[in-house]
């Protein structure tokens, strides 16, 4: 998950050197503990803030059972 997140940020141009940091990175995850809540993802976002890529990172975890219903999004 961490490598996918990093690759996506790079492909969107959000990790370019010598640019001002983005204000906030918001990521919505699906509550899968094996992929999203692991230590590597937490270390990655801490590193992104430390390297001034973003000023703040926010994780959002929708309520279980409400992620597939379009009315609940």
């Amino acid at each position: 998950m961490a490598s996918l997140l990093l690759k996506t940020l790079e492909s969107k141009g959000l990790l370019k050197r010598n640019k001002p940091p983005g204000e906030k990175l918001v990521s919505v995850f699906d509550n899968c503990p094996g992929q999203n809540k692991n230590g590597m993802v937490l270390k990655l976002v801490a590193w992104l803030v430390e390297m001034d890529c973003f000023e703040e990172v926010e994780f959002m975890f929708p309520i279980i059972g409400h992620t597939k219903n379009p009315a609940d999004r």
Side-chain angles (χ1 to χ4, degrees):
M1 185 65 201
S3 60
L4 178 62
L5 181 61
L6 191 57
K7 184 176 180 178
T8 301
L9 292 172
E10 287 176 345
S11 71
K12 299 290 183 186
L14 297 173
L15 299 181
K16 291 184 179 177
R17 294 185 189 270
N18 302 321
K19 75 165 191 67
E23 284 186 32
K24 186 176 190 179
L25 172 66
V26 178
S27 297
V28 180
F29 295 103
D30 66 358
N31 271 322
C32 179
Q35 294 178 6
N36 300 325
K37 298 176 184 173
N38 64 36
M40 188 58 69
V41 173
L42 298 175
K43 290 174 187 173
L44 172 63
V45 296
W47 178 80
L48 291 172
V49 172
E50 189 69 28
M51 299 305 293
D52 288 329
C53 294
F54 299 96
E55 292 178 9
E56 182 181 352
V57 177
E58 178 181 343
F59 289 147
M60 296 180 71
F61 298 96
I63 297 170
I64 296 172
H66 292 267
T67 59
K68 304 292 187 241
N69 186 346
D72 290 337
R73 289 187 185 155

